[in-house]
């Protein structure tokens, strides 16, 4: 659990970038999320799999966005991050050609890495033999390579790492990035997360676990957080990148600060490999740690971007904790109703949306929440975005293994 410091540390969010099922780029993704229009659809790449739908990034042309010479050597999970990072750095007004790269870190989250490359090369091994397996298999597959590739691309020469805490990975990464700033190790950190594992083996595994929605006849309505008829999550892909800076570094260059990461809490349930602790004790400890780190009380929180996966157990456990800690006052949403669940990238997508909600004082709706589960005693925003005075918000991320990460976002 994160130990709160004597003085609050506010990491300045100066840049945002996103590649999500809601769109390539922040403006389009935010517009789609605020419209509450789901993105799930039948996925031809999953033909023959028991659950044959997903939330894919639309119209993503890696050759056009990255360049063909680079793109062919990168797994899709790295490609998505490269595009999101470029947008975030441009948004921050930072030019890697002019910065002191030794003061710039990269901390990203991902759950599984290059599964598309792995599956493709495994087929090659079986069909054509070991001599035909690509020499690029390992650098395209391994999870850490996304941070390494961003460092190469942008001359970010400080600490460089990828954390893998399942579906909490990106939030863990952002919290870790903030600690690098607080400690004085870095002036700037490129952080967030990425995932692109919509492959037959991964989706089959989730399906066999019973974790996925089975609404194959109507995929668009399948991701329905907090709805009484929810039956599982919809797998998604995407990348979200935030540029964080120390307040002093941002002020010295006159940067626009979009919001601040003011608190972080992390805990473990110690309960079960895949099921959440129904008591929610681990989640509550993470929330309380994040609030203490931000020097805030529960009544200071105006908005919660919930983990809200659309699974029966997760939503019930999370709702119980939110009710116990916050009552029914904060405006709660789960943007997974639109984007689906991007696994290791989910926390990064939702951190971007939480920053935008705080910056614009606007909470997006929870798509497909038609009839709220009576056990979810929360003020869940539905149907349309809601204008809310948001001084501070929390973004929740929880993962297999009982790993919990909570971020507190405050106004600039």
């Amino acid at each position: 659990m994160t130990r709160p410091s004597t003085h609050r540390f506010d990491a300045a969010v100066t840049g945002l970038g996103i590649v999500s099922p809601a769109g390539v780029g922040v403006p389009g993704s935010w517009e789609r999320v605020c419209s509450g229009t789901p993105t799930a659809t039948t996925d031809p790449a999953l033909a023959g799999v028991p659950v044959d739908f997903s939330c894919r990034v639309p119209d993503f042309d890696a050759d056009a966005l990255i360049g063909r010479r680079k793109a062919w050597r990168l797994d899709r999970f790295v490609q998505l991050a490269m595009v999101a990072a470029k947008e975030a750095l441009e948004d921050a007004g930072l030019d890697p050609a002019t910065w002191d790269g030794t003061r710039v870190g990269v901390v990203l989250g991902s759950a599984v890495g290059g599964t598309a490359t792995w599956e493709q090369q495994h087929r090659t091994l079986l069909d054509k033999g070991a001599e035909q397996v690509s020499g690029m298999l390992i650098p395209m597959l391994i999870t850490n390579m996304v941070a390494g590739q961003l460092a190469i691309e942008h001359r970010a020469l400080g600490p460089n790492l990828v954390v893998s805490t399942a579906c909490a990975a990106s939030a863990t990464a952002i919290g870790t990035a903030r600690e690098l700033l607080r400690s004085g190790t870095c002036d700037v950190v490129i952080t967030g997360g990425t995932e692109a594992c919509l492959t037959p083996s991964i989706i089959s595994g989730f399906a066999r676990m019973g974790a996925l929605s089975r609404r194959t006849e109507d995929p668009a309505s399948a991701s329905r957080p907090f709805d009484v008829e929810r039956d599982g999550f919809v797998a998604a892909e995407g990348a979200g990148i935030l540029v964080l800076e120390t307040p002093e570094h941002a002020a010295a260059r006159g940067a626009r600060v979009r919001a601040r990461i003011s608190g972080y809490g992390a805990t473990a349930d110690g309960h079960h490999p895949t099921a959440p602790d129904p008591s929610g004790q681990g989640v509550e400890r993470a929330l309380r740690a994040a609030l203490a780190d931000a020097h805030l009380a529960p009544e200071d929180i105006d908005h919660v971007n919930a983990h809200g996966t659309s699974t029966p157990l997760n939503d019930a456990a999370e709702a119980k904790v939110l009710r116990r800690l916050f009552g029914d006052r904060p405006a709660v949403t789960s943007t997974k109703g639109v984007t689906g669940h991007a696994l290791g990238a989910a926390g990064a997508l939702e951190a971007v949306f939480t920053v935008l909600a705080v910056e614009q004082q606007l909470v997006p709706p929870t798509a497909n929440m038609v009839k709220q589960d009576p056990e979810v005693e929360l003020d869940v925003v539905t149907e349309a975005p809601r204008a809310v005075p948001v001084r501070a918000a929390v973004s929740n991320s929880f993962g297999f293994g009982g790993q919990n990460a909570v971020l507190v976002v405050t106004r600039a």
Side-chain angles (χ1 to χ4, degrees):
M1 183 170 69
T2 303
R3 184 181 298 277
S5 61
T6 305
H7 303 288
R8 186 170 99 176
F9 178 78
D10 291 323
V13 182
T14 57
L16 298 176
I18 198 168
V19 177
S20 82
V24 178
V26 170
S29 288
W30 181 239
E31 181 180 1
R32 181 76 177 254
V33 164
C34 284
S35 76
T37 306
T39 61
T41 188
T42 300
D43 187 340
L46 300 177
V49 176
V51 176
D52 63 354
F53 60 93
S54 70
C55 295
R56 280 193 182 270
V57 175
D59 304 320
F60 183 79
D61 185 339
D63 289 353
L65 293 168
I66 300 171
R68 188 174 183 181
R69 290 186 64 186
K70 290 181 183 177
W72 78 268
R73 295 182 284 111
L74 307 174
D75 186 88
R76 187 175 174 90
F77 87 112
V78 179
Q79 294 174 351
L80 299 180
M82 293 278 280
V83 173
K86 183 176 185 292
E87 181 186 24
L89 289 169
E90 290 175 352
D91 184 49
L94 285 168
D95 181 1
T98 64
W99 67 19
D100 178 2
T102 64
R103 301 289 300 168
V104 180
V106 181
V107 185
L108 299 178
S110 187
V112 293
T115 59
T117 296
W118 176 260
E119 289 195 23
Q120 179 187 55
Q121 291 303 311
H122 185 248
R123 285 194 297 270
T124 298
L125 173 66
L126 296 179
D127 295 343
K128 300 180 180 180
E131 293 302 318
Q132 297 303 311
V133 171
S134 172
M136 294 298 296
L137 169 61
I138 302 305
M140 291 176 71
L141 164 70
I142 54 179
T143 310
N144 75 292
M145 194 55 68
V146 63
Q149 291 287 6
L150 287 188
I152 294 166
E153 180 75 8
H154 301 296
R155 295 291 294 167
L157 306 180
N160 185 275
L161 62 149
V162 170
V163 300
S164 188
T165 52
C167 300
S170 295
T172 306
I174 294 166
T176 303
R178 177 171 166 269
E179 293 304 313
L180 290 176
L181 297 174
R182 175 153 56 183
S183 69
T185 303
C186 296
D187 298 322
V188 178
V189 183
I190 302 167
T191 188
T194 184
E195 202 80 89
C197 61
L198 300 179
T199 61
S201 66
I202 298 298
I203 300 305
S204 294
F206 279 124
R208 289 285 293 163
M209 289 173 59
L212 300 180
S213 171
R214 295 290 182 135
R215 293 176 182 269
T216 54
E217 75 289 348
D218 186 16
S221 71
S223 184
R224 44 197 318 116
F226 303 121
D227 188 86
V228 70
E229 294 186 356
R230 66 189 184 277
D231 71 329
F233 73 81
V234 179
E237 63 177 2
I241 299 292
L242 297 83
V243 175
L244 302 187
E245 301 182 47
T246 63
E248 297 79 11
H249 190 271
R253 68 183 191 88
R256 173 192 59 170
V257 178
R258 305 192 69 154
R260 302 182 187 277
I261 307 297
S262 299
Y264 168 61
T267 64
D269 283 354
H271 171 72
H272 189 273
T274 58
D277 181 351
S279 75
Q281 292 180 13
V283 168
E284 182 169 348
R285 286 187 293 109
L287 279 161
R288 289 190 182 278
L291 292 174
D293 191 31
H295 294 251
L296 295 175
E299 56 266 27
D300 295 319
I301 301 301
D302 301 308
H303 166 47
V304 176
N305 190 308
H307 187 55
T309 59
S310 181
T311 58
L313 294 180
N314 179 86
D315 287 9
E318 183 178 15
K320 183 188 298 183
V321 175
L322 293 177
R323 175 71 183 191
R324 192 160 65 223
L325 192 58
F326 298 115
D328 62 357
R329 195 187 61 79
V332 176
T333 195
S334 171
T335 45
K336 289 184 178 74
V338 171
T339 66
H341 188 359
L343 307 172
L349 302 186
E350 288 147 26
V352 169
F353 296 143
T354 305
V355 166
L356 291 168
V358 170
E359 180 187 56
Q360 299 188 20
Q361 303 286 279
L362 188 69
V363 176
T366 303
N368 292 323
M369 217 281 285
V370 177
K371 183 178 180 182
Q372 187 165 328
D373 186 334
E375 294 186 6
V376 176
E377 299 177 286
L378 303 170
D379 180 14
V380 180
V381 179
T382 62
E383 297 184 355
R386 183 191 300 176
V388 177
V390 183
R391 300 163 297 169
V394 299
S395 182
N396 291 340
S397 297
F398 316 131
F400 284 172
Q403 294 167 312
N404 309 307
V406 175
L407 300 169
V408 176
V409 181
T410 60
R411 293 196 71 181

